[in-house]
Amino acid sequence: MSDRGLLSQPDIGHDYLALTTKPVLRRRRPGQVIAVVVVLFAIVYGVWTLITNPGFGWVTVGKYFLDTRILGGLLITLELTVIAMAIGFVVGLVVAVMRMSDNWLLRGVSGAYIWFFRGTPLLVQLLFWGFSAVLFPKIGLGIPWGPTFVEWNTNDVISLFGAAILGLGLNEGAYMAEIVRAGLLSVPAGQSEASRSMGFSQLHTLRFVVIPQAMKVIIPPVGNEVISMLKTTSLVIVIGVGDLLYNTQQIYAQNLQQIPLLIVASIWYILLTSILTLAQTRLEKKYSKGNALLLGKAQR
Amino acid sequence: MSDVKFFNVHKNFGHVEVLKGINLTVAKQQVVCLIGPSGSGKSTLLRCVNHLEMTTSGAITIGGRMIGYDVRGDQLQEASQPEINKRRSKIGMVFQSFNLFGHMTAKENVMFGPIKLLKMSKKDAEAHARELLRKVGLADKMDNYPSQLSGGQQQRVAIARALSMKPEVMLFDEPTSALDPELVGEVLDVMKQLARDGMTMIVVTHEMGFAREVGDVVVFMDNGVIVEQGDPQDVLTNPQHERTKSFLAKVI
């Protein structure tokens, strides 16, 4: 009630009409001014350090930036990212569809898959695939408990690169499954019903009606996953796959220029992340077809 | 056009019996309006016609043929999925919430079925879609996405989409219930035209005026059974059963 008392006290003695000739000023924000000064100072100091501290070794950075070993490692990193994400997406789609099945066994198996691969560290899974030859020394085609038709040594078939792909891809599949499931659930049931009532099969309905509309929900988190995967691939260093970070490490193990070489690797990672971010924005636009917010409802 | 016959149709959801033995004949080119309180089973009955819901027992035939089932010995068995899809494409359905495909324009919605299922060429499908959209009065909205259309316009596109499959029967599940009152008329007009063109139609509706004007038969359902059916004038103005009387007293 005290507020009321305050308002009821009249401002006396102002000629309000005379005050209308100039625009209203914004409130003073002294805190913001201080913050700007502090941040600017930090930026200037940071840049100054980058330039003057010889430990950064910018000359070395320049020298190794396009080194063939670095570029070779980069290629491996890209391959790992692309293939692991492709496997992750396919596995994720299948697991997500299974998870939404009427059949309790399919639901259970997909649930267990997600539970297992999200529940154990990726690093452990990578090591596991790296050592898989211990568990299954030979891989073959045949009938379980029956005859085997062809057989290979595991180490010949599953290279370290293959083990890395399996580890990254299967792990990604578990996360992707949840993303895809959320996307599929975001499409109203009436969409499938309309499609089914026209005579479309479940698969056609999924492919032409549900997935295209789920995409706008799926793409932003998938973009995140791709960007995250690009950097997560550096974990394959533990099983000795020659990716960007591994090769970087190999070089600085010889010349002991750790900091400059790690900067080289970081610049490449950040460069690729920026490109991927751009691509993501484009893709999001493409799949927002029919989105009321972008089209504008004004045309009604 | 085909006739639709219901033979002692039962439907349970778990322990709840939603349809308790429905017998009904919809003749060729007839318009049958299903009315009744919510929960009476009329929407479920409609959804059983194109097998969106599976019946517990009983049979429904369209032009003498079952949609979701085959005869096996002395009982019915659910047909294979491809077979159901094929038979289902002969029945058009219009939903309360329109359910237009949101990522396709009005025209693409109407072209989708003919191209993918009837294997029509893109050019023919487009000409067909233009003609249908013109018929429902939306010649100028062909390239709009559903989100750019009003409810009444969306529902008219949905009718055009159902017609694009050249159906023998059209099912309408409360087609105007989600519409603003001033948009109801434009949808009913399209449906009236369809009835005049001789389409066999089963319409679940709360629009008593439409039932009276367009319906050949009005069927009043309550609690999973058909309480009363007959000429709309008779049923709506001179109902014989207490339940029909009390329902009509509330809605008219």
Side-chain angles (χ1 to χ4, degrees):
Chain A
M1 286 302 108
S2 60
D3 286 3
R4 251 185 118 143
L6 201 71
L7 271 180
S8 65
Q9 287 174 13
D11 279 339
I12 323 165
H14 293 305
D15 179 357
Y16 286 108
L17 261 183
L19 289 170
T20 58
T21 51
K22 287 179 184 169
V24 178
L25 296 173
R26 284 180 70 99
R27 184 196 307 136
R28 289 197 185 114
R29 295 161 192 262
Q32 217 175 49
V33 176
I34 295 168
V36 166
V37 170
V38 170
V39 170
L40 270 181
F41 180 78
I43 292 174
V44 170
Y45 182 74
V47 172
W48 181 77
T49 311
L50 279 179
I51 296 168
T52 57
N53 188 333
F56 285 108
W58 291 107
V59 178
T60 321
V61 170
K63 191 174 140 204
Y64 282 99
F65 192 67
L66 295 173
D67 187 282
T68 45
R69 285 166 292 179
I70 294 288
L71 294 182
L74 190 66
L75 193 66
I76 296 289
T77 292
L78 282 174
E79 281 173 14
L80 283 171
T81 307
V82 171
I83 302 175
M85 281 314 290
I87 292 178
F89 194 79
V90 173
V91 170
L93 190 61
V94 172
V95 173
V97 171
M98 280 169 69
R99 192 116 184 77
M100 294 164 76
S101 158
D102 295 333
N103 186 302
W104 64 270
L105 185 66
L106 297 182
R107 267 203 319 274
V109 167
S110 56
Y113 182 93
I114 295 171
W115 169 75
F116 180 80
F117 281 97
R118 290 203 310 187
T120 54
L122 175 56
L123 202 52
V124 174
Q125 289 171 31
L126 279 170
L127 286 166
F128 191 92
W129 287 111
F131 293 128
S132 59
V134 179
L135 204 53
F136 304 105
K138 286 182 184 304
I139 294 180
L141 283 177
I143 298 160
W145 295 293
T148 306
F149 307 125
V150 237
E151 208 172 47
W152 302 278
N153 280 325
T154 303
N155 276 335
D156 299 340
V157 190
I158 302 186
S159 61
L160 287 175
F161 184 80
I165 287 290
L166 276 176
L168 293 169
L170 294 183
N171 182 267
E172 185 57 34
Y175 288 90
M176 205 63 100
E178 292 294 274
I179 292 172
V180 172
R181 189 169 69 101
L184 297 181
L185 285 176
S186 77
V187 180
Q191 294 285 313
S192 322
E193 234 166 43
S195 166
R196 299 307 301 278
S197 79
M198 291 170 75
F200 281 99
S201 69
Q202 211 161 358
L203 211 62
H204 269 73
T205 300
L206 203 60
R207 184 171 148 209
F208 295 119
V209 175
V210 178
I211 290 179
Q213 296 190 78
M215 277 316 225
K216 65 173 178 248
V217 172
I218 291 177
I219 283 178
V222 167
N224 271 345
E225 290 295 307
V226 176
I227 287 167
S228 164
M229 175 63 81
L230 178 74
K231 290 158 297 168
T232 306
T233 52
S234 60
L235 286 180
V236 301
I237 203 166
V238 295
I239 54 174
V241 174
D243 76 325
L244 178 56
L245 184 62
Y246 182 89
N247 285 7
T248 306
Q249 211 182 29
Q250 293 290 307
I251 298 172
Y252 73 62
Q254 288 167 6
N255 67 10
L256 301 178
Q257 299 280 329
Q258 290 92 339
I259 299 293
L261 276 153
L262 286 172
I263 289 175
V264 168
S266 300
I267 292 176
W268 274 116
Y269 280 119
I270 218 168
L271 208 65
L272 291 173
T273 307
S274 312
I275 295 171
L276 288 175
T277 309
L278 261 168
Q280 183 187 357
T281 318
R282 288 239 169 134
L283 215 59
E284 274 175 34
K285 271 200 191 129
K286 186 184 157 202
Y287 276 104
S288 55
K289 253 204 256 174
N291 186 326
L293 290 174
L294 289 179
L295 289 165
K297 286 209 165 192
Q299 294 180 40
R300 262 189 185 204
Chain B
M1 298 306 121
S2 296
D3 59 350
V4 184
K5 287 182 179 159
F6 299 78
F7 300 90
N8 204 16
V9 174
H10 288 260
K11 170 72 187 172
N12 296 0
F13 284 119
H15 295 295
V16 186
E17 199 176 12
V18 191
L19 298 176
K20 302 171 182 167
I22 302 290
N23 288 289
L24 179 67
T25 298
V26 180
K28 265 181 209 178
Q29 309 203 323
Q30 230 180 15
V31 177
V32 170
C33 293
L34 297 177
I35 63 171
S38 53
S40 59
K42 51 197 193 316
S43 281
T44 307
L45 184 66
L46 197 73
R47 292 163 61 84
C48 284
V49 174
N50 64 354
H51 200 60
L52 279 182
E53 298 287 355
M54 191 173 170
T55 52
T56 306
S57 70
I60 304 170
T61 60
I62 315 271
R65 185 147 198 226
M66 286 183 293
I67 294 303
Y69 311 89
D70 290 318
V71 178
R72 187 180 176 204
D74 62 348
Q75 63 187 130
L76 299 180
Q77 185 176 35
E78 197 177 14
S80 76
Q81 200 61 62
E83 194 55 37
I84 293 174
N85 292 338
K86 210 159 68 191
R87 297 182 206 172
R88 182 139 72 185
S89 66
K90 300 270 173 232
I91 307 168
M93 187 162 191
V94 174
F95 299 85
Q96 180 177 352
S97 49
F98 330 134
N99 299 346
L100 286 182
F101 304 131
H103 59 307
M104 301 179 194
T105 62
K107 198 171 71 188
E108 286 166 353
N109 264 282
V110 184
M111 290 163 65
F112 178 56
I115 289 178
K116 295 275 190 252
L117 289 174
L118 304 182
K119 306 292 174 204
M120 214 185 257
S121 76
K122 207 178 161 198
K123 208 175 130 210
D124 291 349
E126 187 167 349
H128 189 210
R130 281 180 188 285
E131 187 198 316
L132 284 171
L133 284 170
R134 203 169 298 127
K135 206 169 146 188
V136 298
L138 290 172
D140 55 335
K141 300 285 180 191
M142 302 213 189
D143 296 316
N144 287 37
Y145 285 96
S147 59
Q148 298 168 306
L149 299 173
S150 72
Q153 292 168 338
Q154 287 189 55
Q155 194 61 300
R156 285 185 282 153
V157 175
I159 293 173
R161 177 178 68 180
L163 291 175
S164 73
M165 295 296 290
K166 302 180 174 146
E168 294 172 8
V169 176
M170 285 282 282
L171 310 175
F172 292 86
D173 190 4
E174 302 196 25
T176 58
S177 296
L179 296 177
D180 292 341
E182 82 266 25
L183 302 178
V184 169
E186 62 191 59
V187 173
L188 293 183
D189 285 343
V190 170
M191 291 168 65
K192 282 176 201 166
Q193 183 57 47
L194 210 54
R196 274 194 294 264
D197 292 348
M199 177 63 76
T200 311
M201 293 162 67
I202 307 180
V203 186
V204 172
T205 188
H206 294 296
E207 295 291 329
M208 297 306 150
F210 176 83
R212 193 189 304 259
E213 191 186 337
V214 186
D216 296 303
V217 177
V218 162
V219 175
F220 174 70
M221 282 181 70
D222 190 22
N223 215 1
V225 295
I226 292 177
V227 177
E228 188 166 352
Q229 58 174 301
D231 185 81
Q233 291 300 340
D234 296 344
V235 175
L236 295 177
T237 47
N238 187 21
Q240 299 301 309
H241 289 261
E242 274 312 311
R243 275 189 285 177
T244 321
K245 280 179 193 164
S246 71
F247 173 75
L248 290 174
K250 278 177 211 147
V251 295
I252 295 182

